Amino acid sequence: MKIKIKGQLLDVNAVWMEGFTLKAINQKLLPFKFEILETQSFLEVTRWIKELNVRGAPTIGATGAYGYVLAAVEAKNYNREKQLQFLNEAYKRLLHTRPTAVDLKNALDYMHTMANISTHPEFLKEKAEFFVNKILEQGKQLVAHGSTLIHENAKILTHCNTGPLALVDYGSALGVIIYSFVHKKTPLFVWVDETRPVLQGARLTTWELTQHNIPFSLITDNMAGFLMNQRKVDLIIVGADRVTQNGDIANKIGTYSLAILAHYHNIPFYVAFPWSTIDLSLKNGNSIPIEERSAQEVLTVRGIPVENQKEKESKKETETVNYYYITAPNTPATNFAFDVTPHELITGYITPAGVFSDINNVMRSYKDAMKELSWKESV
Ligand code: MRU
């Protein structure tokens, strides 16, 4: 992705490897501060994923694959048996960081299968790059397909962050919007759900839209229904963290409510994703594991004080991003990070092979792609 930081143009991915050092944009600090994280330790990678320094289903998958490579480097002087034990442990630790996005499991399963052929770090790095390049290729394909749904002056509502940050580059749902505006020059307008509690919409989607001068307005999550009722939303596009056999999807908490609102108001509701987000092992969404995160995320917001922002503008100082309680610190709170939207509420699926309203066509294309990609031994 091409981004402008303090007047300088940078061309970076959300996560990448240089030699055997893993680098990633620290998504936790955006939009206040642009920082590149670096590590050579797979345990540090587990922290990045858990703490949302890197997030978004396909980016999490890519980070997991690279994390596995770092584990192979750490194990390189062990005998083969000990290496495999170490990699087994690394696989489990990386996998258990975040349970809902199946991209992580798909990436790690692929890397683990490859380790049976060779545990050589160079070999595994090549395989991780292959996996990530496929995600990138699919991102590029799906945003182009999705853009056929965007008519001139469309008012699009989106949830969470599904831009290049979330898919290594290109993006999924937000990628469709960016591609339509930047490459196809389609005039459009975006309603950005803030996406409580971690505010991926308010922090990251607004940052990515600003990078491309795309017109948007940030809204609180509970404004969506009112806007739909006022006919101010033409279509909704969201991403996914897991897509099951029957077309049910898990995505960021709040997606289900949006889908119900869209259904009631007769507004098309699309879901965009690459192949790494498909889970053929589950028949439907009922058994998708839903991540429950710390109550602290609900009790707090992260940001900068209003007065510091003014100071920053006048003195050009570097900002410190802090946590602030929005209620009494001991308030009981619940934090489900995802919900499941049943296929009945989904108008269409935006995939690397095209836009489909019938999930059977999605799965057929997925199986064809898997034959060629051989991420899995058989599907
Ligand atoms: O908790 P997050 O920020 O990782 O959740 C991200 C989402 O729910 C995205 O919508 C999804 O991963 C699709 S990203 C292309």
Side-chain angles (χ1 to χ4, degrees):
M1 71 190 91
K2 288 194 174 54
I3 48 179
K4 218 189 232 170
I5 303 294
K6 293 182 182 154
Q8 258 197 315
L9 259 183
L10 281 182
D11 198 351
V12 283
N13 283 348
V15 60
W16 72 99
M17 247 189 161
E18 270 178 39
F20 284 106
T21 300
L22 187 58
K23 299 196 176 186
I25 297 176
N26 188 353
Q27 299 192 35
K28 211 165 163 178
L29 294 183
L30 285 172
F32 309 111
K33 205 171 181 174
F34 183 82
E35 178 186 88
I36 306 276
L37 296 166
E38 284 191 30
T39 189
Q40 293 179 336
S41 143
F42 95 85
L43 273 181
E44 180 63 12
V45 176
T46 64
R47 282 189 283 271
W48 287 4
I49 301 176
K50 264 190 219 156
E51 291 172 20
L52 310 184
N53 296 110
V54 289
R55 35 80 35 217
T59 292
I60 294 172
T63 309
Y66 287 139
Y68 193 94
V69 176
L70 296 186
V73 176
E74 287 172 58
K76 77 169 188 258
N77 293 326
Y78 300 158
N79 64 32
R80 174 136 177 107
E81 193 190 340
K82 238 185 128 202
Q83 269 178 350
L84 287 174
Q85 259 173 22
F86 190 87
L87 286 174
N88 222 16
E89 189 56 29
Y91 170 93
K92 284 192 213 144
R93 286 194 180 222
L94 285 161
L95 183 63
H96 292 143
T97 51
R98 298 201 67 195
T100 304
V102 77
D103 305 61
L104 180 59
K105 182 167 188 312
N106 284 335
L108 288 169
D109 281 352
Y110 172 71
M111 294 304 293
H112 218 37
T113 310
M114 292 300 121
N116 284 328
I117 303 172
S118 166
T119 51
H120 201 285
E122 287 288 355
F123 171 80
L124 289 173
K125 183 181 170 192
E126 212 176 275
K127 297 299 166 190
E129 297 290 10
F130 170 81
F131 189 90
V132 175
N133 284 332
K134 288 295 164 192
I135 292 176
L136 287 168
E137 201 176 284
Q138 291 161 27
K140 202 173 174 179
Q141 292 163 338
L142 79 86
V143 298
H145 289 305
S147 71
T148 58
L149 300 167
I150 313 291
H151 59 78
E152 285 210 352
N153 301 314
K155 296 183 286 299
I156 310 157
L157 190 145
T158 191
H159 193 62
C160 195
N161 172 263
T162 58
L165 289 168
L167 196 142
V168 189
D169 196 356
Y170 301 107
S172 59
L174 186 60
V176 169
I177 294 170
I178 295 173
Y179 182 86
S180 303
F181 185 86
V182 176
H183 296 278
K184 291 177 79 176
K185 313 269 178 240
T186 309
L188 52 84
F189 178 83
V190 190
W191 294 111
V192 180
D193 266 2
E194 61 175 352
T195 320
R196 277 279 291 151
V198 190
L199 302 170
Q200 291 94 331
R203 297 184 304 103
L204 305 173
T205 299
T206 58
W207 183 78
E208 291 191 316
L209 289 168
T210 304
Q211 287 287 334
H212 298 285
N213 297 315
I214 300 176
F216 70 88
S217 189
L218 177 65
I219 56 168
T220 59
D221 298 329
N222 50 6
M223 287 181 196
F226 173 73
L227 292 174
M228 290 187 215
N229 180 266
Q230 297 284 303
R231 309 313 301 170
K232 289 190 167 137
V233 179
D234 296 319
L235 74 158
I236 297 167
I237 318 182
V238 298
D241 286 79
R242 194 180 291 237
V243 181
T244 60
Q245 269 180 40
N246 71 338
D248 294 350
I249 64 127
N251 193 47
K252 180 54 56 194
I253 194 79
T255 303
Y256 174 54
S257 327
L258 275 182
I260 289 191
L261 284 168
H263 187 70
Y264 181 80
H265 292 98
N266 210 13
I267 294 170
F269 184 90
Y270 291 99
V271 184
F273 50 86
W275 299 132
S276 60
T277 310
I278 290 189
D279 182 358
L280 271 196
S281 75
L282 298 185
K283 282 199 163 52
N284 58 50
N286 297 342
S287 39
I288 297 179
I290 298 297
E291 178 178 8
E292 201 173 347
R293 295 183 60 84
S294 157
Q296 279 299 100
E297 289 181 349
V298 176
L299 301 181
T300 58
V301 290
R302 208 158 10 99
I304 54 171
V306 174
E307 52 284 14
N308 279 20
Q309 178 58 26
K310 287 191 190 132
E311 211 172 89
K312 187 184 166 195
E313 279 159 15
S314 58
K315 295 185 193 158
K316 305 233 176 315
E317 282 182 358
T318 318
E319 211 50 73
T320 318
V321 184
N322 282 321
Y323 285 92
Y324 299 87
Y325 277 109
I326 56 166
T327 183
N330 56 357
T331 304
T334 304
N335 188 9
F336 289 109
F338 297 92
D339 56 28
V340 174
T341 300
H343 63 278
E344 298 89 357
L345 298 176
I346 298 169
T347 312
Y349 302 90
I350 303 170
T351 77
V355 181
F356 302 102
S357 51
D358 180 348
I359 190 65
N360 293 314
N361 291 333
V362 174
M363 293 308 172
R364 238 187 306 273
S365 303
Y366 167 71
K367 287 176 187 173
D368 286 347
M370 282 303 106
K371 274 182 211 145
E372 200 190 316
L373 296 174
S374 63
W375 280 358
K376 307 226 172 203
E377 281 156 298
S378 62
V379 283

